[in-house]
């Protein structure tokens, strides 16, 4: 991460760390520090190795950046296993260091062997997770308003597109550890502009009109970019918590671009904002009881959010409680929220091909929940493989089963296919109709396109470099023939680095597939473009500004939910 970005991120975490200090495990008292003026302040927890305050703060920052997304801010687990002291201390320092270093086939990244963490950092993190987790501060309307900025007022923005960009084939590319996105012209393959954002942008979303690009970082900062000026320009920003993953805009007819919603991991809540300025309107907590044991959960994080096309509603996944919330925004001052019981550990998902049924993975429950957005109810809970992780998933017409939606898995090599046509193929609807075998566990994204007959499956978190640096490709008309392997990292021509290949993304026409070749901050990374018809290399995009590229979002496909 460049110095300016590191300073910005450090400053954004400074308030978090100082507030956390109030609830940290025991820190040496001022009197003790006075008596031993030259000794550093120490942090102690029963049964854990003591850490200096400086090392503890460093470890908190690493945990927030790398670990909290899977294991939770309070370390109670979700996609990743719980890391509470009773568990970590029983495993011991050597075991924890080995796990952090080498990862696991179930999806735990190999932080050490990929050089994402140094040996010293691995040792530090193994010690840190044996301590009592610090309680992070709350974040309400007052804190949110302090971060809200309108950089260009709506009345000062253009009334039509002034640039000559082909916006429908523009890509928003996350530069994860650089605190930026790169806007890349899908036609010329040239970088149009780099825009500073929050840390580790998780997703990019496009407003219903196709005008506004919204990105949200793991630090819960939202940046709103107007694509119509002579060059795309950031027009508003806000911070909706301490850690977040999801942002979406209203898409129901008559409400296009009217509201924006963002979900936070911490505090567990969602925020509804004005769609043109990001002015916060409502903050709603998601703390509550789980659907299975009816137990109170203090950290039910907001995962995927999707905009309904059937009603003026946002569909909100509440991860740990396993509830899907239908948030009706017709009357913003008197929100109507319908709660649907699904299964714990709801994560990501997307529409079926008709944009009526929301297919969403309850990853640690090994299920996919099917939500009927028209009838506003749960249609089915479908058992699939270990830890489904679909991204938005993939819709295609199976030669035998008709329309299906597919997800790959973090925890095994399977790709589950679920029938989605209750009208013409009712015997297959809302059932797992088949399972393909991919290269291995550690998959994050699966992708196809209505104009393609190929299905791409990545495996960036597999500990085997040959697998993490390549992708599996299936011919949809010959699924029984198995997959072909494309050595994407090899195509990039980069000689060193982790070279994880992540997230296939189609262009507007559906005849190109883009992949990120993702290495560390100090290493060279690239984007690789494949011709979907021939499966041959079409282009390699290299630029010293492409630092840790991960997610890529084509404007048209994202705007119209094409996947």
């Amino acid at each position: 991460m460049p110095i300016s970005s590191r300073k910005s991120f450090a400053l954004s975490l400074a308030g978090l760390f100082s507030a956390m200090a109030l609830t940290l495990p025991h820190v040496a008292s001022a009197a003790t520090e006075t008596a031993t003026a030259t000794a550093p302040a120490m942090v102690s927890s029963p049964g854990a190795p003591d850490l200096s305050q400086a090392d503890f703060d460093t470890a908190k920052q690493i945990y927030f950046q790398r670990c909290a997304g899977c294991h939770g801010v309070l370390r109670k687990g979700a996609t990743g296993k719980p890391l509470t002291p009773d568990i970590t201390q029983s495993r011991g320092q050597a075991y924890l260091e080995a796990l952090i270093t080498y990862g696991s086939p179930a999806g735990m990244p190999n932080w050490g062997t990929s050089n994402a963490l140094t040996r010293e950092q691995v040792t530090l993190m193994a010690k840190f997770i044996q301590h009592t987790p610090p309680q992070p501060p709350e974040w309400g309307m007052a804190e949110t308003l302090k971060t809200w900025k309108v950089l260009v007022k709506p009345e000062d923005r253009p009334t039509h597109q002034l640039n000559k960009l082909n916006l429908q084939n523009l890509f928003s590319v996350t530069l994860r550890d650089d605190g930026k996105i790169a806007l890349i012209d899908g036609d010329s393959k040239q970088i149009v502009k780099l825009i500073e954002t929050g840390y580790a942008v998780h997703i990019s979303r496009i407003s219903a009109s196709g005008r506004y690009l919204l990105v949200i970082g793991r630090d819960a900062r939202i940046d709103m970019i107007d694509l119509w000026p002579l060059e795309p320009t950031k027009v508003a920003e806000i911070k909706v918590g301490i850690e977040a993953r999801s942002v979406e805009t209203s898409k129901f007819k008559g409400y296009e671009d009217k509201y924006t919603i963002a979900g936070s991991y911490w505090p567990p809540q969602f925020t509804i904002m004005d769609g043109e300025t990001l002015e916060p309107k409502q903050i709603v907590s998601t703390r509550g009881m789980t659907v299975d044991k009816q137990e109170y959960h203090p950290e039910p994080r907001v995962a995927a959010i999707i905009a309904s096309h059937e009603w003026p509603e946002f569909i909100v996944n509440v991860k740990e409680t396993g509830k899907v919330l239908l948030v009706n925004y017709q009357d913003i001052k008197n929100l109507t929220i319908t709660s649907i019981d699904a299964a714990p550990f709801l994560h990501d998902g997307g529409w079926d091909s008709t944009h009526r049924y929301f297919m969403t993975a309850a990853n640690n429950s090994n299920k996919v929940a099917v939500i009927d957005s028209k009838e506003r109810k749960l249609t089915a809970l479908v058992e699939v493989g270990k830890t489904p992780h679909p991204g938005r998933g993939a819709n295609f017409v199976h030669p035998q089963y008709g329309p299906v939606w597919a997800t790959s898995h973090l925890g095994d090599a399977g790709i589950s296919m679920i029938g989605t046509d209750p009208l013409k193929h009712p015997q297959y609807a809302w059932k797992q109709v088949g399972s393909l075998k991919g290269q291995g566990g550690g998959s994050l994204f699966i992708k196809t396109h209505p104009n393609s007959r190929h299905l791409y499956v990545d495996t960036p978190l597999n500990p085997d470099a040959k697998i993490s640096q390549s992708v599996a490709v299936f011919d949809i008309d010959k699924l029984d023939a198995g997959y072909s392997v494309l050595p994407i990292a090899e195509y990039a021509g980069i000689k060193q680095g982790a070279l994880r290949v992540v997230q296939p993304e189609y262009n507007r026409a559906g005849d190109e597939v883009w992949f990120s070749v993702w290495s560390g901050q100090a290493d060279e990374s690239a984007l690789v473009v494949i011709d979907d018809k021939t499966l041959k290399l079409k282009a390699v995009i290299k630029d010293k500004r492409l630092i840790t590229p991960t997610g890529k979002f084509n404007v048209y496909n994202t705007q119209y939910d094409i996947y």
Side-chain angles (χ1 to χ4, degrees), residues 499-561:
L499 304 175
R500 291 190 178 105
V501 174
V502 64
Q503 204 222 19
E505 176 75 353
Y506 280 83
N507 64 343
R508 163 70 174 86
D511 57 11
E512 291 179 357
V513 189
W514 292 39
F515 297 90
S516 295
V517 180
W518 167 31
S519 284
Q521 293 169 244
D523 299 317
E524 185 179 17
S525 293
L527 301 177
V528 170
V529 182
I530 297 295
D531 185 310
D532 180 65
K533 304 299 182 186
T534 65
L535 300 184
K536 301 297 184 182
L537 176 65
K538 188 168 185 178
V540 176
I541 305 173
K542 289 184 180 180
D543 191 296
K544 63 182 180 181
R545 296 172 291 174
L546 288 177
I547 299 171
T548 59
T550 52
K552 301 161 301 301
F553 302 87
N554 174 269
V555 165
Y556 184 87
N557 293 338
T558 305
Q559 179 185 357
Y560 291 103
D561 295 313

Side-chain angles (χ1 to χ4, degrees), residues 249-315:
T249 68
S250 52
K251 292 186 175 180
F252 187 69
K253 187 176 181 180
Y255 291 87
E256 296 91 340
D257 296 16
K258 187 172 179 61
Y259 293 115
T260 294
I261 185 173
S264 301
Y265 268 23
W266 189 271
Q269 60 195 32
F270 60 83
T271 303
I272 299 178
M273 296 152 279
D274 180 86
E276 286 193 312
T277 67
L278 299 184
E279 178 185 3
K281 298 292 186 180
Q282 289 278 8
I283 301 175
V284 180
S285 173
T286 54
R287 290 180 172 101
M289 312 304 285
T290 61
V291 298
D292 50 356
K293 298 180 181 179
Q294 295 290 299
E295 293 177 345
Y296 177 77
H297 200 290
E299 191 190 359
R301 300 171 288 174
V302 177
I305 301 177
I306 200 164
S308 174
H309 300 274
E310 301 283 352
W311 298 91
E313 292 179 337
F314 293 117
I315 303 176

Side-chain angles (χ1 to χ4, degrees), residues 93-386:
Q93 182 74 16
Y95 174 94
L96 297 173
E97 288 191 28
L99 182 62
I100 296 169
T101 299
Y102 298 106
S104 75
M108 171 74 176
N110 52 325
W111 296 112
T113 55
S114 67
N115 297 318
L117 296 178
T118 65
R119 181 178 296 180
E120 292 76 17
Q121 288 174 323
V122 168
T123 297
L124 174 61
M125 295 310 296
K127 292 179 179 179
F128 171 76
I129 59 176
Q130 296 178 64
H131 281 262
T132 303
Q135 178 78 20
E138 299 296 327
W139 187 279
M141 183 61 78
E143 291 80 7
T144 303
L145 284 169
K146 288 178 182 177
T147 70
W148 173 48
K149 301 175 184 177
V150 178
L151 306 174
V152 181
K153 296 179 181 179
E155 58 267 28
D156 295 332
R157 301 172 194 170
T159 57
H160 60 280
Q161 183 180 342
L162 300 181
N163 59 63
K164 295 183 180 180
L165 293 171
N166 178 8
L167 295 183
Q168 292 191 342
N169 203 32
L170 188 70
F171 285 77
S172 174
V173 180
T174 297
L175 305 181
R176 187 194 185 280
D177 294 332
D178 199 31
K180 296 183 180 72
I181 61 162
L183 297 179
I184 299 181
D185 180 358
D187 298 333
S188 69
K189 312 296 190 291
Q190 298 297 309
I191 295 177
V192 174
K193 188 175 183 179
L194 265 63
I195 297 177
E196 290 193 2
T197 63
Y199 176 75
V201 163
H202 190 65
I203 58 171
S204 297
R205 290 290 179 259
I206 308 297
S207 67
S209 67
R211 173 175 186 169
Y212 294 114
L213 169 68
L214 294 116
V215 299
I216 188 164
R218 288 175 181 251
D219 58 356
R221 173 176 152 184
I222 302 171
D223 292 280
M224 183 178 188
I225 299 154
D226 188 353
L227 299 178
W228 282 9
L230 287 174
E231 64 174 31
T233 302
K234 185 162 63 173
V235 294
E237 68 178 60
I238 196 169
K239 199 164 152 44
V240 294
I242 293 168
E243 189 186 2
R245 293 294 186 278
S246 53
V247 66
E248 181 63 289
T249 68
S250 52
K251 292 186 175 180
F252 187 69
K253 187 176 181 180
Y255 291 87
E256 296 91 340
D257 296 16
K258 187 172 179 61
Y259 293 115
T260 294
I261 185 173
S264 301
Y265 268 23
W266 189 271
Q269 60 195 32
F270 60 83
T271 303
I272 299 178
M273 296 152 279
D274 180 86
E276 286 193 312
T277 67
L278 299 184
E279 178 185 3
K281 298 292 186 180
Q282 289 278 8
I283 301 175
V284 180
S285 173
T286 54
R287 290 180 172 101
M289 312 304 285
T290 61
V291 298
D292 50 356
K293 298 180 181 179
Q294 295 290 299
E295 293 177 345
Y296 177 77
H297 200 290
E299 191 190 359
R301 300 171 288 174
V302 177
I305 301 177
I306 200 164
S308 174
H309 300 274
E310 301 283 352
W311 298 91
E313 292 179 337
F314 293 117
I315 303 176
V316 178
N317 273 355
V318 184
K319 195 176 185 83
E320 279 74 15
T321 59
K323 296 184 179 183
V324 179
L325 305 182
L326 308 182
V327 182
N328 189 293
Y329 48 73
Q330 280 182 299
D331 184 352
I332 198 69
K333 292 185 178 180
N334 300 283
L335 287 176
T336 301
I337 300 176
T338 300
S339 179
I340 299 173
D341 285 1
F345 308 113
L346 293 167
H347 192 56
D348 53 358
W351 293 115
D352 79 309
S353 59
T354 69
H355 291 172
R356 171 174 171 172
Y357 296 94
F358 179 39
M359 314 289 292
T360 182
N363 49 33
N364 253 25
S365 297
N366 303 326
K367 293 179 172 66
V368 168
V370 182
I371 305 295
D372 183 343
S373 68
K374 184 175 183 179
E375 297 296 330
R376 306 170 76 248
K377 64 181 182 180
L378 178 72
T379 295
L381 281 174
V382 185
E383 294 278 351
V384 292
K386 185 172 177 56

Side-chain angles (χ1 to χ4, degrees), residues 36-64:
T36 57
T38 59
M42 301 299 293
V43 178
S44 300
S45 292
D50 286 352
L51 288 174
S52 70
Q53 183 66 64
D55 283 346
F56 196 91
D57 289 346
T58 297
K60 280 188 299 188
Q61 181 169 335
I62 294 172
Y63 184 84
F64 175 78

